[in-house]
Amino acid sequence: MAYEVVIGLEVHVELATESKIFCSCANNSAAAANENVCPACAGMPGLLPVTNRAVVEKAIAAGLVTNCHINRVNTFDKKNYYYPDLSNSYQITQLYAPICTDGYVEIETEAGSKRIGIKQIHMEEDAGKLLHDDLAGISMVDYNRCSVPLVEIVSKPDFRSAAEVIAYLEKLRALLRYAGVGHCRMEAGLMRADINLSVREKGDEKLGVRTEIKNMNSFAAIQKAIAYETERHIDAIEWDEPLVQETRGWDAVKNESFAMREKENATDYLYFPDPDLPPVIIDEEWIERVRAALPEMPDAKQARYQADFQIKRKEAAQLVASPNLAAIFDAAVAQGAEPREAANWLLTEALACAKKAGQSADELQLDPQKLVVLLAELKEGRLTRPNAKLVFAAIFEEDAEPLAYIRAHGLDQVADDSAVRELLTQIIAANPKSVADFRAGKTKALDFLFGQAMRELKGSGDPKLIRQLLNELLAQ
Amino acid sequence: MDKEKQLQRISADRCNSLVQFYPAALQEMPADAVAIVVDDNLIQRDTVCAAGSHMLYSFRPPFQAEAITRAQAAGYTVIGRANIGEFNMAGSETSWFGPTLHPQDTAHLTSGAAAAVAQGFAEAALIVDAGGANLRQAALGGCSAFRPTYGSVSRFGIIAFLSSSEQIGGVARDIDTAAALVQAVAGHDEKDATSLPKPQYDYAAAADVAGLRIALVEDLLAAAGAPARAATEQAAEALAAAGAQISRIRLRQAALAPQALAVMAAAEGCNNISRFDGVKYGYRTANYRNIEELYCRSRGEAIGETAKCLAMLGSLVLAKDNYEPYYRKALQVRYLVKQELDQIFTSCDLLLAPVAPAEAPLAADAAASPFPFCDPAHAFGAAATLAGLPVAVLPYGTAENGLPFGLQLFADSGHDSLPLRAAKALQAAPRKGGAC
Amino acid sequence: MEKEQFAKLASFNKFALTPAENERLSAALDTALDFLVPLRDWQAGDTPLMVYAAGIAPVYRTDRVEKIFSREQILANAPEEAEHCFAVPRVAD
């Protein structure tokens, strides 16, 4: 019996706005508990929501980069249920008329390109957080995250494997980060996925019983969960045991899913249009303004790096994986850096320095102009590669001025050939035994003389040049 | 005004008009300030605001209703909070603080605002009118009142019930004073997304009805008792004598307006009180072992039956299978009611009708009413509420027991001065005959 | 009204009701539903809906942070507080 797994994803993305969606509290759930809370997001009566314009713009941007139709008139609805992290006992979301519908994301699979359909994107507000104190037997409610703006991106059930899911999430994350929609750091909970999964016999058109695993925020956990849940479904089918349509939790310690509460269609959320919020009306001009403000997207950028600069696919992909790194690269190239050199330095030295400093590619800071100057010195032969690495580290750690640093530390490449020749002549004269040994066939003697020369030159000699001159002089 | 005497009178109130009286505010009031009371569901900073409910008995918000802020800036001083039904969902008989008795006859009920103003405790009151009920109580309590077009006054700071249509209004012994208070607080507020863009309003209108086309609403006349009907007809005659053109119309689409209003009130009411869960503020039961008990016992113990009835009806009409036959249809009725009124106002300036079938209700009758919105009186305010129209009410005519009947005048959205003009004209005109 | 449906409505609204309340509310809801029958039976056709009041136009806020309230003010009315949070009984995951 051949089985096929059918997966749909609902991805919640926290938007990178300054303030919350309906009030002017700071959009920062990492602050001390209840610091970024006002009477509105704390569930007091008397307040009214007013929509943050930037939330609409980021939702439009999300729709544009996922090829969605932007609904020119969209509205907000109230979704009602009781839970302590929901301060008003309702969540404002979009059910009847979401902002975007009918899009797609293209992913690369082993079998080639595949389009994953997007059913809709809608704006909504997040809920607060619960911290549990089992000793005291209480849960503590922090409303910092309550009313933080989200877009929920609902895919069509087009996935057929965990690999496709991961490829989609990586692609989606890149698109949204480039578009400035959200930072999408999954470990920080800024992007969370709900997995909807069912299994059927290959060739069957009907969908099997669906279960949902919510709030997954790591690729590893998602892969394990899909594998586990698929097998659990197949087992149930083969052993003719009932499968319940339900929401399940994921135990990251046992690597198992567990039963939680019945799936959404068993709970009635009593949706109705929110009378306090006027409809969102989007005209062509607004869409064009958002579109014009979008930067070059990662796919196009990567293709350009490969075509225009002959950067290898793997390196190009690495560069575009971080919008920050790609931006530094673009700026450096624009200011005259040789692209492949710049790419190499960013992918090796810059990432290494960042790692040492505990920073990610997105966090690292580097002045592209300084990199350009450094690479020019290197190219003109005025700096050795080892010394260039030293200078780079100084630029990274202290934002040092490269030329000043080079002068201050005497790292100037000795470009004048005659001075080196004179020095080498002196060294040869001072070491007759080594010279004799070399002429007798002991090549190690050359290394000794070479080492002497480098020591004299305090490392600023060009090794290739020195060896070349030594050989030349010794041959005389 | 002799402040000492006033203090004593208010403290001796037998009608339970005020949930809380602020004697210090009265005493410290500047000479040129105007004393007002505000409904218990209008939020005042750092003061208890209970909306007539045990659930909010201890709730002191750190912010203030925009209308109160503007009133204070315009020289009004708040000297007390007026009693209302729990969450403003029904009459004061549902208030946790007990019913407000009619100053003219304590066997009958009225609103805290009407009783306070009628007894002269304050010059005026800021009220929240939901469904026309608060205006009705004002008129039947012997006061004039004015509710402007929906969106004229900011709803920021109202403990919400009927978000789609409730609106702040003014109550006073004469219509000018009521309108002046509304004028002081009306105008755009960026904290309320449903607030109309106009920054300022002018409700100063002359008592001039010459040439105004005023139509009597026959359906509401027919639904009223004979004495109240006669009082309304008398008012029509008085207006005709002052130069108005009187005609008669029927509101066909409004036949289902009371049902539509009840459905919206239930749905929005259910949703607006669901935030009262014992977690963040207000009443929490003393006896709970888990979150479910915390919720159910807190809300069970501290919310009254009428509010519970409305909330449960709300969750019924919003349930998946009921959404279309009840809630969606209510919004469709609303559309038709508005459309019909738009049509009527092309050939007519003002509509005139009784504000209720009879005088203010007996306490006994009110208490026995199981579900407020099927009370016949609610039908009288339904159409104007659904359409968000400006309404002026005043007492007119007297029942055998001496209690007043009330009239309502309403016009198209944005034509707020018209009801005021007619109300002023009626106030000024000598009344023909005595009691009806 | 059927007991089961009544119980669902009470449960959704988180109301713990006394038996006397059960009876009175059940009767009240029956009255309400009877009152609504004309609406339920009305043939709406494709009549448009009026969701928003007349004159309502789209309104937006600028994306700017304004911190007006301290967390002490936010927590001032809390029935139970722990570590600057609202405290409730331990909720199941």
Side-chain angles (χ1 to χ4, degrees), chain A residues 322-476:
Chain A
S322 161
N324 182 41
L325 205 60
I328 297 171
F329 173 79
D330 286 337
V333 168
Q335 289 169 51
E338 200 280 303
R340 282 163 72 169
E341 267 292 280
N344 182 35
W345 278 82
L346 288 173
L347 292 174
T348 54
E349 295 307 311
L351 289 183
C353 286
K355 191 165 175 192
K356 222 170 76 172
Q359 291 171 349
S360 67
D362 277 330
E363 290 165 323
L364 74 87
Q365 286 179 319
L366 187 72
D367 184 344
Q369 170 61 22
K370 295 190 166 116
L371 177 63
V372 171
V373 169
L374 176 64
L375 293 180
E377 291 302 290
L378 190 60
K379 183 169 174 194
E380 295 303 312
R382 291 194 287 271
L383 194 62
T384 65
R385 199 160 275 272
N387 283 347
K389 290 191 185 183
L390 289 176
V391 180
F392 184 91
I395 295 173
F396 188 93
E397 283 152 28
E398 308 149 14
D399 198 25
E401 265 298 331
L403 295 177
Y405 187 90
I406 289 167
R407 274 195 297 276
H409 291 76
L411 302 176
D412 312 57
Q413 174 72 305
V414 180
D416 188 353
D417 190 282
S418 55
V420 180
R421 277 178 187 275
E422 206 185 301
L423 176 67
L424 289 177
T425 311
Q426 281 173 13
I427 290 173
I428 287 168
N431 292 282
K433 185 168 184 305
S434 297
V435 174
D437 284 344
F438 175 74
R439 291 195 174 131
K442 291 184 184 160
T443 48
K444 271 226 162 120
L446 185 77
D447 292 333
F448 174 75
L449 293 169
F450 174 79
Q452 296 281 42
M454 289 302 281
R455 213 180 34 242
E456 282 298 323
L457 290 167
K458 296 194 185 75
S460 65
D462 180 354
K464 252 186 19 210
L465 177 68
I466 291 170
R467 279 195 189 271
Q468 178 199 317
L469 288 177
L470 262 179
N471 274 300
E472 208 186 288
L473 290 169
L474 289 169
Q476 287 170 358

Side-chain angles (χ1 to χ4, degrees), chain A residues 84-157:
Chain A
D85 68 1
L86 200 60
S87 61
N88 282 310
S89 298
Y90 63 82
Q91 175 200 32
I92 298 178
T93 178
Q94 297 187 296
L95 178 81
Y96 295 112
I99 185 166
C100 308
T101 45
D102 285 317
Y104 63 86
V105 169
E106 275 196 20
I107 57 170
E108 296 303 313
T109 71
E110 279 171 3
S113 277
K114 176 172 176 173
R115 269 196 189 178
I116 301 293
I118 289 183
K119 178 166 166 272
Q120 67 177 62
I121 300 180
H122 62 261
M123 299 178 279
E124 62 182 23
E125 54 181 353
D126 211 342
K129 278 198 190 139
L130 292 176
L131 300 140
H132 306 293
D133 182 344
D134 285 311
L135 212 59
I138 60 170
S139 293
M140 294 175 286
V141 193
D142 169 17
Y143 289 124
N144 278 346
R145 200 182 62 179
C146 204
S147 243
V148 155
L150 298 175
V151 286
E152 181 176 333
I153 302 175
V154 183
S155 83
K156 296 185 180 160

Side-chain angles (χ1 to χ4, degrees), chain A residues 40-114:
Chain A
C41 47
M44 292 193 202
L47 291 315
L48 296 167
V50 184
T51 308
N52 180 344
R53 181 187 298 272
V55 171
V56 179
E57 298 199 324
K58 291 195 191 290
I60 294 173
L64 289 175
V65 300
T66 55
N67 309 293
C68 286
H69 170 76
I70 312 289
N71 288 324
R72 304 298 193 261
V73 180
N74 55 95
T75 56
F76 288 106
D77 306 295
K78 295 196 190 192
K79 176 181 181 181
N80 298 277
Y81 64 96
Y82 286 84
Y83 202 68
D85 68 1
L86 200 60
S87 61
N88 282 310
S89 298
Y90 63 82
Q91 175 200 32
I92 298 178
T93 178
Q94 297 187 296
L95 178 81
Y96 295 112
I99 185 166
C100 308
T101 45
D102 285 317
Y104 63 86
V105 169
E106 275 196 20
I107 57 170
E108 296 303 313
T109 71
E110 279 171 3
S113 277
K114 176 172 176 173

Side-chain angles (χ1 to χ4, degrees), chain A residues 113-292:
Chain A
S113 277
K114 176 172 176 173
R115 269 196 189 178
I116 301 293
I118 289 183
K119 178 166 166 272
Q120 67 177 62
I121 300 180
H122 62 261
M123 299 178 279
E124 62 182 23
E125 54 181 353
D126 211 342
K129 278 198 190 139
L130 292 176
L131 300 140
H132 306 293
D133 182 344
D134 285 311
L135 212 59
I138 60 170
S139 293
M140 294 175 286
V141 193
D142 169 17
Y143 289 124
N144 278 346
R145 200 182 62 179
C146 204
S147 243
V148 155
L150 298 175
V151 286
E152 181 176 333
I153 302 175
V154 183
S155 83
K156 296 185 180 160
D158 289 346
F159 300 97
R160 296 290 176 271
S161 72
E164 288 181 3
V165 167
I166 301 301
Y168 170 83
L169 288 171
E170 283 178 332
K171 185 68 178 289
L172 191 63
R173 190 170 64 175
L175 290 169
L176 296 176
R177 281 163 62 202
Y178 269 84
V181 170
H183 303 302
C184 297
R185 288 194 303 273
M186 289 184 81
E187 354 54 81
L190 302 183
M191 181 164 129
R192 317 183 295 253
D194 297 345
I195 306 168
N196 289 278
L197 184 150
S198 66
V199 168
R200 64 185 176 194
E201 279 177 40
K202 257 210 166 82
D204 202 348
E205 280 190 8
K206 221 170 65 111
L207 286 171
V209 173
R210 187 176 81 237
T211 58
E212 181 187 30
I213 305 183
K214 289 180 87 76
N215 288 326
M216 303 297 289
N217 68 345
S218 102
F219 288 166
I222 288 172
Q223 282 166 317
K224 288 187 194 148
I226 291 174
Y228 178 89
E229 198 62 10
T230 307
E231 202 169 303
R232 194 180 72 85
H233 278 233
I234 292 176
D235 277 351
I237 295 170
E238 299 218 304
W239 290 97
D240 214 8
E241 277 163 9
L243 260 178
V244 179
Q245 178 168 300
E246 60 181 346
T247 299
R248 294 175 72 82
W250 178 251
D251 186 329
V253 172
K254 292 191 199 156
N255 286 325
E256 286 174 4
S257 72
F258 57 90
M260 272 174 62
R261 57 182 200 264
E262 278 170 55
K263 177 86 174 88
E264 184 163 302
N265 59 14
T267 310
D268 201 333
Y269 290 110
L270 310 185
Y271 290 93
F272 73 101
D274 189 334
D276 294 329
L277 286 167
V280 173
I281 300 183
I282 303 172
D283 60 15
E284 300 311 311
E285 263 174 29
W286 198 354
I287 295 178
E288 279 324 299
R289 273 201 313 271
V290 174
R291 196 196 301 276

